[in-house]
Amino acid sequence: MALFISKKHQEINSKHDPKTRLVFLTQSNYNILVNSYAQIATEINDDTKQLIYKDNLSWILSEIELRYLFAECLALTQGGAESTPIKLIQKRDSGHLFFSGGPPKYHYNEKCEYAWKAYDNYDIPAEIKAKGDKEVEKFKKFAQDNKELYREDAARFFKRLEAQFFLKKPLKKVSYQNSGIRPFDDLSIVEIEQRIDEHLKECSNYLENNPKAKNTKFAPSWYVKSGKMDETERKFHHEFKHKLKKMMREYLKIKEGGISKNKRICLNQSYLDSLGFEGCKACGSAFDLSDFE
């Protein structure tokens, strides 16, 4: 049963009132929203589990995994109540030279280039961090003030940066490909539930035939990634459980109406504004705001 009335039949339309308009989120910024809710959704009880799925999944998913699925429910249903903290999305600092600390963005246009655009960044070097927060801020400010030079002539930009801050080592480059707005399979709720139930049956059969894997159902993520598991345990976690969690996330988005007719992640603009998101200035500038007066 959905927590709220589904949004799945609403249209994405620039003529809608901003208070009710649905806007697009990239997968990465949607993950920021879900992770933020996961920090406040600390209690997982039987009622909560019933909201996640028609069957209790405690036999295969840990409390932490269920908490993140419930956080997905909260993200999709505007908090499930009016108790969502204002500005849930706190100011972030990625520890990188560019683009640090800004609020996550939503997009008015599903084809906005900034929802897909790749970009490069650089780690703040350890020799700058060792000098304290004030030096880090000066370092970032220099980069911000000289951003146009970086775009026009990166080599010259780095020469100035190295001379200004007496850097001994070159900056470490970090490359990103923006996750874009993810498509979803065109399946009905009934069809998705059938697939999930079939997969759950496969999971159960695998555990019965592999008792050792059964003992690691709720293994913490550090152990799963440690390389200490044998092949049967690794197969269970990386194939069976991973696939289940991916299917559940897709299912919740469709069940709670968190996707548009074009199968894009979309949520209410005013809701995202209240949490600390901001609209993309690139695709937002295409709208004539006088339409809403």
Side-chain angles (χ1 to χ4, degrees):
M1 180 171 62
L3 295 176
F4 279 86
I5 296 173
S6 173
K7 301 182 292 297
K8 66 176 66 178
H9 299 301
Q10 293 186 37
E11 301 277 352
I12 301 294
N13 191 321
S14 63
K15 301 294 183 180
H16 278 178
D17 188 298
K19 293 180 181 179
T20 59
R21 185 198 298 137
L22 298 180
V23 291
F24 301 100
L25 284 180
T26 62
Q27 185 65 46
S28 58
N29 281 345
Y30 175 72
N31 289 342
I32 290 173
L33 178 60
V34 171
N35 289 337
S36 297
Y37 270 114
Q39 304 311 308
I40 63 172
T42 55
E43 184 180 351
I44 302 299
N45 53 36
D46 289 341
D47 291 337
T48 300
K49 294 171 185 176
Q50 187 65 37
L51 291 171
I52 295 171
Y53 195 58
K54 60 188 176 68
D55 298 324
N56 192 325
L57 300 179
S58 297
W59 65 273
I60 187 170
L61 298 180
S62 69
E63 290 294 301
I64 292 177
E65 290 167 326
L66 290 169
R67 174 153 59 94
Y68 272 84
L69 287 178
F70 181 55
E72 193 125 7
C73 291
L74 293 175
L76 292 164
T77 58
Q78 303 191 28
E82 295 182 356
S83 58
T84 301
I86 299 298
K87 301 299 180 185
L88 175 71
I89 309 300
Q90 300 298 317
K91 184 178 180 181
R92 301 167 298 134
D93 190 338
S94 64
H96 296 151
L97 183 61
F98 299 119
F99 322 120
S100 292
K105 301 291 193 295
Y106 54 76
H107 298 270
Y108 303 91
N109 185 341
E110 63 181 301
K111 296 181 180 179
C112 176
E113 66 171 308
Y114 290 95
W116 297 93
K117 192 174 183 179
Y119 61 90
D120 295 327
N121 213 331
Y122 300 85
D123 285 338
I124 302 295
E127 56 191 292
I128 295 296
K129 290 181 181 178
K131 295 179 181 179
D133 292 341
K134 288 186 178 180
E135 191 70 5
V136 169
E137 289 306 313
K138 283 173 60 180
F139 194 71
K140 288 182 180 180
K141 186 176 186 306
F142 180 91
Q144 185 65 33
D145 291 345
N146 291 273
K147 191 181 291 185
E148 287 303 316
L149 175 62
Y150 171 74
R151 290 169 178 160
E152 294 169 4
D153 189 341
R156 190 177 169 201
F157 168 85
F158 286 119
K159 280 186 179 180
R160 283 193 183 179
L161 191 68
E162 290 165 6
Q164 179 77 17
F165 293 92
F166 306 103
L167 295 179
K168 298 177 182 178
K169 296 181 180 180
L171 271 65
K172 183 179 178 182
K173 187 176 181 178
V174 183
S175 296
Y176 294 90
Q177 174 66 53
N178 204 318
S179 59
I181 300 164
R182 302 293 188 184
F184 296 89
D185 290 336
D186 190 16
L187 298 174
S188 69
I189 290 293
V190 172
E191 290 171 323
I192 295 174
E193 287 184 350
Q194 288 174 345
R195 289 195 181 186
I196 291 173
D197 290 342
E198 289 170 3
H199 184 66
L200 286 169
K201 187 174 181 179
E202 291 175 3
C203 292
S204 179
N205 290 338
Y206 186 83
L207 289 175
E208 289 302 318
N209 294 324
N210 297 276
K212 192 172 182 181
K214 194 173 185 178
N215 294 331
T216 62
K217 283 190 303 183
F218 308 133
S221 59
W222 66 265
Y223 181 73
V224 175
K225 298 174 183 177
S226 68
K228 296 179 180 180
M229 290 183 162
D230 67 18
E231 186 57 33
T232 59
E233 295 170 319
R234 187 161 42 251
K235 182 176 181 179
F236 174 66
H237 282 274
H238 292 286
E239 293 183 25
F240 287 93
K241 282 194 72 170
H242 177 76
K243 183 178 179 181
L244 173 62
K245 288 185 285 187
K246 184 177 180 179
M247 292 172 79
M248 285 302 305
R249 288 192 292 267
E250 298 291 300
Y251 167 73
L252 289 171
K253 290 185 186 75
I254 295 171
K255 180 170 75 83
E256 301 298 351
I259 60 172
S260 71
K261 280 188 173 181
N262 294 324
K263 313 304 178 188
R264 309 301 189 216
I265 300 172
C266 60
L267 292 169
N268 181 270
Q269 179 187 343
S270 60
Y271 160 60
L272 293 174
D273 287 340
S274 72
L275 299 183
F277 280 77
E278 287 184 0
C280 170
K281 291 181 174 59
C283 58
S285 64
F287 292 126
D288 179 2
L289 297 183
S290 65
D291 289 341
F292 306 119
E293 292 176 357

